[in-house]
Amino acid sequence: MGRSPRWPRPAWGCRVGLVANQVGQAPRLAADLFHRLGPDAAIVTLGRFGALAHTTRGLLRTPAPTVTVVHTHGAGAAFSAGYAQTLLAGATLPEALHAGCTLGSAHCAGSPVTAIQPTPTPNGGPCVIRH
């Protein structure tokens, strides 16, 4: 506390990072990423606190479900899978954030094999994660 966070430098040169005890800085980080990279939405995950997205419409925050955590390894990947799959299925950004938080929390609450159970769509399109 009291010092600036260290921002890792990925291969493409932009600075990305968030120190766990600085969750209050997440809105600033999301806004910075949004303005620097120009995506439709800049998403910042907040672990047990959920996730937020910065868009042209402003800031959207979604809480994570409360679960008993068994492990956290792969939580970010589970969030990303739920978020991306839900968007690909045609859902809205709030629905995708909710799905990401739900799947990330479910993953942390149990084994990855039992926590992730997508349901195929009848037309052979992307799977839908039921939550």
Side-chain angles (χ1 to χ4, degrees):
M1 291 218 211
R3 64 185 181 98
S4 297
R6 294 176 190 229
W7 306 102
R9 290 194 184 273
W12 61 87
C14 65
R15 299 180 335 162
V16 181
L18 180 65
V19 178
N21 66 355
Q22 296 176 342
V23 171
Q25 292 183 9
R28 183 177 60 86
L29 174 62
D32 186 46
L33 290 171
F34 182 78
H35 294 295
R36 286 178 186 227
L37 303 176
D40 291 337
I43 310 300
V44 176
T45 59
L46 306 170
R48 66 185 170 119
F49 299 109
L52 56 84
H54 186 93
T55 70
T56 56
R57 293 185 174 189
L59 195 64
L60 172 66
R61 187 165 182 168
T62 301
T66 301
V67 298
T68 299
V69 175
V70 175
H71 65 86
T72 59
H73 185 264
F79 172 89
S80 296
Y83 173 81
Q85 185 284 318
T86 304
L87 280 182
L88 290 171
T92 64
L93 177 63
E95 291 168 330
L97 279 178
H98 176 76
C101 287
T102 299
L103 194 58
S105 294
H107 176 79
C108 290
S111 77
V113 175
T114 59
I116 303 170
Q117 298 179 3
T119 304
T121 57
N123 64 358
C127 293
V128 175
I129 297 171
R130 304 284 180 207
H131 50 279

